[in-house]
């Protein structure tokens, strides 16, 4: 193996979690960061809302903990919640040091409020926080001599003991095999430690606010390597995605409701949230609002509902939501004068690879951080703007643990090169497109916002049939990014359905008509490979 492919630490993913870890590790380690597409193509850049942190004089850590636990329907791990929330102010300080231009008011950070939060605690950069954070982290990483950034590398599988030249069943992770999309060649990248920060699995669903590459690669790779996953049935649907036949996946941030936006039936003008949560109305947690909109659409045969903030002053709306305002104006919608048509869409993967407070997975040498994980922070439903926060806290935690135990990390042994001696180039790409489309539509119809056991079983049967087809295809043809993503998409769909069938209650994001009640004791759904 070329020495150029050997590093101290390999990080899969160039978003907030991966780059935070890289910058911490680069103090003493040679770090390689692999990105599937461009270095900015992950979910971080898409985050409109902001980062939740207790910074207001009237707020407390306990308030933020309580709000997180309420949103998570008690499935959260309290120790994890406290760990992340208490680390939030320090994370914001570090981002300020990196030059993130957070909005300020009289010199202090401007704090907005979002659904589920009892106080104003969201720091933001207008309505494009993720883009600003991604830019600052990437700039710092590019300036570090110890960080190598490689875009256009699609990871296929983790390298474990069974890939060693001298076979081992230890499960120890030594890096990853990745496809160079420019050359079409799969190469082995080895390291003493590996951090999985590959994001979520939003594209398992037909309608999603997630970027094109959110195909659950990290979750699927870790599962195949032997790591447990947890709470995959907890798939968050954002209540308000723009309904437009020409523009896909444009999110209308939660902060629009936080700053006074109201939801109406588009034909009758009825403000319907009073039927579902009279106390919190539009500021109820996302699962409540998403189910309410879904119910209105299905009950009345609607294509969408209306989100309206036009009762606020036009300058206030333009100042707070410049990106959204400009985008909508380009589509002929003036949000200062009238409503925005919205529908729910898949938004966040609350379940994932099981980790501890140091970001350690079950597999020696493998850490994980961000949306790819189930850390215990989100429970049965993520509280708004806790996602970027989780990336910063756990990205640093994983890096610090690696540095603290660095002397105990062995050098990678010789591993086998990727073998493609028995495969050929595909002559039927249509199979990939057909299976991709079928999985996503089936998951939306059968495993969406409201579920039943019969629908879940139907989805499971189809997933089983597709699995054989995909494995036959994977075994016969050279890998491409589309094929790798399809394989991972299918694996994640299987994990979601299996998890949903295991949970015989309705809790948070998992709502089933067959078990509408919530059990007294909250128990994680943990799947073991």
């Amino acid at each position: 193996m070329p020495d150029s492919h050997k590093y101290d630490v390999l990080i899969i993913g160039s978003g907030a979690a991966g780059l935070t870890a890289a910058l911490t590790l680069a103090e003493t380690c040679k770090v390689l960061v692999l990105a599937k597409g461009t270095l900015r193509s992950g979910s971080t850049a898409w985050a409109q809302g902001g980062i939740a942190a207790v910074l207001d004089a009237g707020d407390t850590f306990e308030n933020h903990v309580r709000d997180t636990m309420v949103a998570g329907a008690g499935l959260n791990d309290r120790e994890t919640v406290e760990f992340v929330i208490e680390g939030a102010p320090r994370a914001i300080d570090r981002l300020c040091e990196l030059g993130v231009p957070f909005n300020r008011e009289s010199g202090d950070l401007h704090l907005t409020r979002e659904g589920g939060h009892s106080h104003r605690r969201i720091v933001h950069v207008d309505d494009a926080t993720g883009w600003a954070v991604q830019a600052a982290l990437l700039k710092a990483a590019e300036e570090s001599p110890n960080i190598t950034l490689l875009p256009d590398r699609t990871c296929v599988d983790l390298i474990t003991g069974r890939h060693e030249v001298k076979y081992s069943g230890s499960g120890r992770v030594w890096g990853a095999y990745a496809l160079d999309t420019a050359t079409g060649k799969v190469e082995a990248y080895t390291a003493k430690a590996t951090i999985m920060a590959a994001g979520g699995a939003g594209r398992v669903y037909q309608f999603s606010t997630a970027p094109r590459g959110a195909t659950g690669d990290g979750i699927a790779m870790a599962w195949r390597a032997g790591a447990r996953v947890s709470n995959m049935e907890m798939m968050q649907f954002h209540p308000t995605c723009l309904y437009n036949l020409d523009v896909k996946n444009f999110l209308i941030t939660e902060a629009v409701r936080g700053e006074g936006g109201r939801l109406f039936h588009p034909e009758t003008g009825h403000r319907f949230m009073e039927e579902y949560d009279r106390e919190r109305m539009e500021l109820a947690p996302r699962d409540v609002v998403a189910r309410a909109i879904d119910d209105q659409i299905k009950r009345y045969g609607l294509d969408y509902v209306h989100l309206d903030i036009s009762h606020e002053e036009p300058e206030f709306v333009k100042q707070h939501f410049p990106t959204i305002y400009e985008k909508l104006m380009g589509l002929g919608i003036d949000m200062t004068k009238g409503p925005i048509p919205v529908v729910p869409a898949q938004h966040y993967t609350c379940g994932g690879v099981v980790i501890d407070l140091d970001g350690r997975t079950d597999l020696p040498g493998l850490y994980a951080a961000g949306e790819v994980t189930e850390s215990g922070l989100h429970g049965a439903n993520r509280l708004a703007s806790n996602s970027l926060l989780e990336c910063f806290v756990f990205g640093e935690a994983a890096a610090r643990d690696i540095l603290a135990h660095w002397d105990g990390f062995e050098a990678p042994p010789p591993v086998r090169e990727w073998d493609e001696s028995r495969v050929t180039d595909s002559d039927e790409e249509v199979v990939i497109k057909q299976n991709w489309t079928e999985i996503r539509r089936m998951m939306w119809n059968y495993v969406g916002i409201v579920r039943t056991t019969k629908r879940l079983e139907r989805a499971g049967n189809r997933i089983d049939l597709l699995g054989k087809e995909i494995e036959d295809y994977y075994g016969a043809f050279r890998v491409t990014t589309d094929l790798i993503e399809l394989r991972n998409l299918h694996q994640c769909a299987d994990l979601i359905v299996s998890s949903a069938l295991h949970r015989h209650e309705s809790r948070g994001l998992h709502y089933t008509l067959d078990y509408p009640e919530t059990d007294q004791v909250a128990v994680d759904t943990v799947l073991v490979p």
Side-chain angles (χ1 to χ4, degrees):
M1 183 185 305
D3 286 339
S4 60
H5 291 176
K6 297 176 182 177
Y7 291 82
D8 291 334
V9 183
L10 169 66
I11 297 175
I12 301 171
S14 61
L19 292 180
T20 297
L23 290 169
T24 305
L25 288 161
E27 297 165 13
T28 56
C29 297
K30 293 286 186 185
V31 182
L32 171 65
V33 178
L34 297 180
K36 182 162 68 170
T38 69
L39 296 170
R40 298 173 183 264
S41 61
S43 295
T44 296
W46 290 49
Q48 290 178 344
I51 306 160
V54 174
L55 300 168
D56 186 52
D59 201 2
T60 64
F61 287 145
E62 183 55 37
N63 288 336
H64 193 176
V65 168
R66 185 177 61 251
D67 292 345
T68 300
M69 298 286 285
V70 168
L75 195 63
N76 328 63
D77 177 80
R78 188 178 178 93
E79 186 182 8
T80 303
V81 175
E82 290 173 351
F83 172 68
V84 173
I85 285 166
E86 288 170 11
R90 191 173 75 252
I92 300 299
D93 287 343
R94 283 199 305 275
L95 292 169
C96 290
E97 290 168 11
L98 286 173
V100 177
F102 291 118
N103 289 36
R104 293 181 180 270
E105 205 167 50
S106 304
D108 295 326
L109 289 166
H110 178 265
L111 304 175
T112 189
R113 186 179 172 190
E114 294 182 337
H117 288 275
S118 58
H119 290 73
R120 286 183 169 268
R121 61 169 71 103
I122 316 301
V123 299
H124 62 105
V125 183
D126 295 329
D127 55 355
T129 308
W131 185 259
V133 167
Q134 179 76 33
L137 290 170
L138 203 49
K139 181 174 183 290
E142 287 169 341
E143 291 172 354
S144 171
N146 278 346
I147 298 176
T148 301
L149 300 163
L150 278 185
D152 302 315
R153 298 299 193 281
T154 305
C155 289
V156 186
D157 269 316
L158 290 169
I159 296 171
T160 65
R162 63 194 181 92
H163 298 108
E164 294 176 24
V165 171
K166 185 179 180 182
Y167 179 90
S168 164
S170 67
R172 174 67 159 87
V173 173
W174 299 112
Y177 292 109
L179 170 70
D180 182 336
T181 56
T183 65
K185 186 180 178 187
V186 175
E187 297 175 317
Y189 295 91
T190 60
K192 293 182 178 182
T194 301
I195 300 177
M196 182 65 75
R203 284 301 174 133
V204 169
Y205 285 90
Q206 184 178 7
F207 300 107
S208 173
T209 63
R212 167 68 176 72
T215 49
D217 305 332
I219 296 168
M221 280 190 283
W223 170 261
R224 288 194 295 265
R228 291 173 303 159
V229 301
S230 178
N231 297 343
M232 285 297 290
E233 73 274 29
M234 299 304 176
M235 197 54 89
Q236 186 179 75
F237 292 82
H238 197 288
T240 54
C241 183
L242 174 68
Y243 177 81
N244 186 287
L245 298 179
D246 298 319
V247 177
K248 303 286 191 247
N249 315 318
F250 186 71
L251 178 68
I252 307 298
T253 176
E254 187 118 4
V256 171
R257 281 179 288 124
E259 294 296 344
R262 300 166 184 168
L263 290 164
F264 297 98
H265 187 293
E267 295 167 1
T268 65
H270 173 56
R271 190 178 176 187
F272 58 81
M273 277 309 298
E274 62 188 20
E275 298 173 27
Y276 302 91
D277 198 314
R278 184 176 289 275
E279 183 181 338
R280 294 176 294 187
M281 299 287 281
E282 285 83 4
L283 288 177
R286 288 176 177 175
D287 60 323
V288 176
V289 181
R291 275 201 300 277
I293 296 173
D294 183 68
D295 183 55
Q296 289 284 307
I297 287 172
K298 286 176 177 169
R299 193 194 303 182
Y300 297 107
L302 306 173
D303 289 324
Y304 54 82
V305 298
H306 276 157
L307 174 61
D308 198 347
I309 196 171
S310 62
H311 54 276
E312 300 288 351
E313 288 294 323
E315 283 311 309
F316 172 87
V317 174
K318 292 178 192 176
Q319 180 184 346
H320 277 71
F321 310 109
T323 308
I324 296 172
Y325 174 77
E326 288 179 21
K327 179 75 171 181
L328 293 179
M329 284 298 287
L331 298 170
I333 301 169
D334 186 345
M335 65 189 291
T336 67
K337 294 181 179 177
I340 308 164
V342 294
V343 291
Q346 188 285 336
H347 184 58
Y348 193 85
T349 309
C350 288
V353 182
V354 176
I355 60 168
D356 65 13
L357 290 181
D358 294 313
R360 296 185 183 210
T361 71
D362 298 324
L363 303 177
L366 180 66
Y367 292 74
E371 193 177 354
V372 74
T373 69
E374 202 287 297
S375 67
L377 173 63
H378 305 307
N381 186 14
R382 175 176 71 83
L383 183 65
S385 291
N386 271 355
S387 52
L388 284 175
L389 174 58
E390 181 183 36
C391 291
F392 304 130
V393 173
F394 275 100
E396 184 182 14
R400 292 290 178 208
D401 193 72
I402 290 170
L403 293 174
H405 299 93
W406 187 247
D407 290 344
F409 284 92
E410 303 169 24
V415 302
R416 295 195 304 274
E417 294 296 323
W418 184 258
D419 180 12
E420 55 177 34
S421 60
R422 291 162 292 179
V423 296
T424 60
D425 289 327
S426 170
D427 59 356
E428 45 184 17
E429 292 285 322
V430 67
V431 173
I432 295 177
K433 185 174 182 181
Q434 168 63 28
N435 288 350
W436 175 289
T437 302
E438 188 170 345
I439 289 170
R440 297 180 69 217
R441 185 171 291 140
M442 174 188 65
M443 291 296 288
W444 182 260
N445 290 333
Y446 290 167
V447 199
I449 296 171
V450 176
R451 300 163 179 174
T452 67
T453 301
K454 185 167 281 189
R455 287 182 208 158
L456 292 173
E457 289 173 344
R458 283 176 181 155
N461 290 335
R462 289 299 304 142
I463 286 167
D464 289 344
L465 287 171
L466 288 169
K468 174 130 187 12
E469 203 170 294
I470 293 166
E471 277 307 307
D472 287 348
Y473 192 100
Y474 181 79
F477 299 117
R478 285 192 179 88
V479 295
T480 62
T481 294
D482 285 347
L483 176 55
I484 293 164
E485 289 183 331
L486 174 63
R487 184 178 179 230
N488 294 333
L489 206 71
H490 173 268
Q491 181 66 77
C492 288
D494 187 37
L495 293 171
I496 293 165
V497 171
S498 297
S499 298
L501 283 168
H502 269 84
R503 187 171 293 279
H504 292 174
E505 63 163 347
S506 288
R507 183 182 297 274
L509 299 164
H510 177 70
Y511 186 80
T512 169
L513 296 175
D514 293 313
Y515 302 99
E517 301 301 318
T518 301
D519 291 346
Q520 284 191 318
V521 180
V523 180
D524 290 323
T525 305
V526 181
L527 301 183
V528 181

